[in-house]
Amino acid sequence: MSSAMRKAGAVTSLLAAAGAAITVGGVQLASADSVTATAGVNIRSGPGTKYAIVGGLTAGQRITAVGKPTNGWIKVRFNGDTAYVSAAYLDLKSGDTSPGPANIYTKGTKIATAPLNVRQGASLGSKVIGYIAAGQNVTLTGKQSAGFAEMLYGGQRAWVSGQYLVSSMNALPKKTGARYATADLLIRTSTDSDFNIITTVKKGTRLQATGVTRSGYAQIVYNSAIRWVTAKYLSTQPVSSAPASNSGTSSSGPAKQTKPATSHSNPAKTSGSTSGTSKADPSKTGNARPTTPAVPKVVGSRYATTELLIRTTSGSDFKTVAEVPRGARLQITGATANGKAQVVYGGVARWVTAQYLSTSKPKAQTSRPVTPALPRVVGTRYATTELLIRTTSGSNYKTVDTVPTRTKLKITGTYANGRAQIVYNGAVRWVTSQYLAKSKPASRSSSGGSSSVGLVGSNTSSNKGKIALNYAKAQLGKPYVWGAEGPNSFDCSGLTLRAWQAAGVNLPRTSQQQFLASPRVSMSNLKVGDLVFFYGPSPSHVGIYAGNGKVINAPRPGKVVEYTPIAYMPVAGATRPG
């Protein structure tokens, strides 16, 4: 092998072997017959999924091909021998004669190219004990098993998927040219449904494309990492975000946006319809086109059977433009997509959840059933923490009240979705069952901090939020430790738990549980002390709002309790305990 082929320093993927350690210098890349991986893909010992995994490639990495594809598989050179890769995940036209080796190293510091779960063992079934963000450094021990690599995490040994670890970001996929966003665009970690949002860029932003597309998304290089955006909102020509301007924007970024309401949130000009309205989006670059888009034909009307969000699109990238009450009459077009029905609302095509539409107007609801048939009460339980009284056991519940710790509740013996059915104020309600006890909890003494019983009802929610924030400020600089709840170290939900406990409010332990335990608030209405959650829909991180667009949080191992801008992480939502 030539010295050029052995040259180290280009981006390297940790290619995990099944049952055997991978030696240094295993993959030969970038010969005259090199091909490029369009996604993370396994290298196998034979031409089929029944064969053992002997390594892997990350998106954009090259490997030497031997011959042409046969039955969907292509032979490649690997570890001084031959192996096979699915041709469906290779760009066979991207041959490059320039040397660009990816020598394999199994120890040292690597970089995560995507958000990764940290697990106790080397399998997808092993317990998740932590989380690594995209771009975070990972220290490896050199041990590998079944596609996983052992790492040091918070002072202990743990495992992550080796396929998404690289030695550097220096050899990203080749850029094929600039593209310009024709609407506000989400920058995504992947094309899958479980993608994370890195950030949002404005219409007119210049992006570096690689030429790879998949499932309607285009691959780009953004902040020295492989990311994805919706392909149909990219243009080869500069796009201005200012409606009055007839010239292109500067190549360095978007022009000043003077009419935010006419950008990506308007489905009639972007993705509000599955039947093809995307080409109307660039109409804001001049006055040649009418400002009012063509509205789909209305074929009838339906009534909302519950409160409904009016969405800009039928997809996961929607924005909420309004909320209509139960019984609202909506004009439908007959188009449906992803469980959503297209409606004409405010003269524009919008979308609502189809299952909550009815041909007949629902009967008016009274505050309480006339003669409710209440279930039989079989006993009583006590609240071990402050509890929400919910209308249902499902995720579509409404909060009707909050009761403090030690409240006596009447139970019916019925349980669903982790909730216990109770009879409360003459109506059937639900509470979280794990926070019920047969015996009355003892009063909290002042020796462990503030007395929650004494504080409940004595402070406004705003005052409690300030108390929680002041507690969090006092912990700044203390180290992150997984599972810690203070007083010398914290993890993210341990910090929020203790902060609100100081304000007299008891929260459940994990970020997912805390997300469900308190009333939601909008991001535009945040107050100090509110909890802000990240990486949804089942949030894996939480912080305490400190004002000025920042939270106090315990980020991850190796970090300390600190201020972090909210914009640095994808937001799942916010709640207001107390």
Side-chain angles (χ1 to χ4, degrees):
M1 185 182 297
S2 68
S3 60
M5 289 296 290
R6 294 182 178 274
K7 183 180 177 182
V11 62
T12 67
S13 171
L14 178 78
L15 306 179
I22 300 177
T23 59
V24 174
V27 176
Q28 304 171 21
L29 298 185
S31 75
D33 301 317
S34 68
V35 292
T36 303
T38 60
V41 61
N42 292 319
I43 301 175
R44 296 182 180 270
S45 61
T49 55
K50 66 181 180 180
Y51 292 93
I53 297 172
V54 296
L57 295 170
T58 57
Q61 193 173 17
R62 299 192 300 273
I63 192 167
T64 302
V66 181
K68 303 296 182 183
T70 302
N71 298 324
W73 293 84
I74 190 166
K75 186 183 291 187
V76 298
R77 297 194 182 279
F78 176 69
N79 260 6
D81 201 346
T82 57
Y84 292 83
V85 178
S86 172
Y89 299 99
L90 295 175
D91 181 0
L92 305 180
K93 299 179 181 179
S94 62
D96 191 340
T97 58
S98 61
N103 297 325
I104 304 166
Y105 298 88
T106 60
K107 287 187 178 181
T109 301
K110 307 296 177 184
I111 303 171
T113 62
L116 294 177
N117 287 322
V118 180
R119 300 179 183 273
Q120 282 184 339
S123 73
L124 293 175
S126 295
K127 182 180 179 182
V128 175
I129 61 173
Y131 171 86
I132 293 174
Q136 185 175 336
N137 288 342
V138 179
T139 301
L140 301 181
T141 67
K143 188 175 181 181
Q144 303 175 43
S145 177
F148 285 80
E150 190 181 58
M151 64 172 291
L152 298 178
Y153 185 78
Q156 61 180 311
R157 293 175 182 263
W159 296 82
V160 291
S161 176
Q163 187 175 0
Y164 302 101
L165 301 178
V166 297
S167 292
S168 73
M169 293 294 193
N170 294 330
L172 292 165
K174 183 179 179 181
K175 301 170 187 176
T176 59
R179 296 294 184 271
Y180 298 88
T182 63
D184 290 359
L185 279 182
L186 299 180
I187 305 295
R188 306 164 182 253
T189 55
S190 70
T191 62
D192 303 322
S193 59
D194 59 348
F195 70 91
N196 284 323
I197 298 172
I198 299 299
T199 188
T200 302
V201 296
K202 294 293 185 181
K203 177 189 173 189
T205 300
R206 186 175 185 265
L207 300 168
Q208 294 294 333
T210 68
V212 176
T213 58
R214 187 194 313 150
S215 304
Y217 296 98
Q219 188 185 72
I220 63 171
V221 175
Y222 185 84
N223 285 347
S224 299
I226 298 171
R227 302 302 183 204
W228 299 83
V229 294
T230 305
K232 68 179 180 179
Y233 299 123
L234 294 180
S235 170
T236 56
Q237 300 299 318
V239 176
S240 172
S241 60
S245 175
N246 291 317
S247 62
T249 63
S250 168
S251 62
S252 62
K256 183 178 179 181
Q257 189 164 343
T258 57
K259 285 189 178 182
T262 62
S263 66
H264 187 53
S265 62
N266 189 333
K269 296 184 180 182
T270 57
S271 58
S273 171
T274 59
S275 59
T277 58
S278 62
K279 67 180 181 180
D281 183 76
S283 63
K284 298 184 286 301
T285 60
N287 299 320
R289 299 186 186 182
T291 57
T292 304
V295 178
K297 181 182 177 182
V298 173
V299 298
S301 61
R302 294 292 186 273
Y303 293 92
T305 60
T306 186
E307 290 181 346
L308 276 181
L309 298 181
I310 306 296
R311 306 163 183 251
T312 54
T313 75
S314 63
S316 59
D317 58 343
F318 75 91
K319 293 182 180 178
T320 301
V321 296
E323 183 174 333
V324 296
R326 181 177 185 271
R329 186 170 181 261
L330 298 168
Q331 296 177 318
I332 63 168
T333 68
T336 58
N338 302 322
K340 308 295 187 290
Q342 191 183 61
V343 299
V344 174
Y345 183 84
V348 178
R350 302 297 189 197
W351 297 81
V352 296
T353 304
Q355 65 174 312
Y356 300 120
L357 296 180
S358 172
T359 54
S360 57
K361 189 173 183 178
K363 295 180 180 179
Q365 288 182 318
T366 58
S367 58
R368 186 180 298 174
V370 179
T371 52
L374 294 175
R376 177 171 168 260
V377 173
V378 298
T380 58
R381 295 291 187 272
Y382 292 92
T384 60
T385 186
E386 202 170 44
L387 276 181
L388 299 182
I389 306 296
R390 307 164 185 253
T391 54
T392 73
S393 63
S395 59
N396 60 337
Y397 72 90
K398 291 183 179 180
T399 301
V400 296
D401 201 357
T402 305
V403 296
T405 305
R406 307 174 75 232
T407 299
K408 187 177 183 181
L409 300 167
K410 300 176 182 178
I411 63 169
T412 67
T414 300
Y415 298 86
N417 302 320
R419 316 287 182 210
Q421 190 184 70
I422 64 171
V423 174
Y424 183 82
N425 287 345
V428 177
R429 301 300 185 204
W430 298 81
V431 294
T432 305
S433 58
Q434 66 175 309
Y435 302 119
L436 296 178
K438 291 182 179 180
S439 56
K440 193 172 185 178
S443 299
R444 287 174 51 85
S445 66
S446 58
S447 61
S450 300
S451 170
S452 62
V453 176
L455 282 170
V456 170
S458 64
N459 285 317
T460 65
S461 178
S462 177
N463 288 337
K464 290 181 181 180
K466 292 177 182 178
I467 294 172
L469 177 61
N470 288 336
Y471 179 93
K473 287 180 178 179
Q475 315 313 314
L476 287 168
K478 292 185 178 180
Y480 175 103
V481 174
W482 176 264
E485 301 176 8
N488 300 318
S489 59
F490 297 85
D491 66 9
C492 66
S493 54
L495 175 65
T496 54
L497 172 80
R498 293 305 184 197
W500 272 96
Q501 197 173 70
V505 177
N506 289 316
L507 294 174
R509 178 61 181 87
T510 68
S511 58
Q512 293 89 348
Q513 292 169 334
Q514 291 178 7
F515 188 55
L516 300 174
S518 303
R520 302 285 176 86
V521 293
S522 67
M523 296 300 294
S524 61
N525 192 35
L526 286 177
K527 295 182 179 179
V528 295
D530 287 350
L531 300 184
V532 183
F533 297 84
F534 305 91
Y535 305 104
S538 181
S540 59
H541 187 63
V542 60
I544 298 174
Y545 185 59
N548 299 319
K550 296 182 179 181
V551 292
I552 294 178
N553 67 137
R556 60 179 183 270
K559 302 284 282 184
V560 297
V561 177
E562 62 183 16
Y563 287 94
T564 301
I566 292 174
Y568 281 15
M569 299 174 283
V571 175
T575 68
R576 183 167 297 152

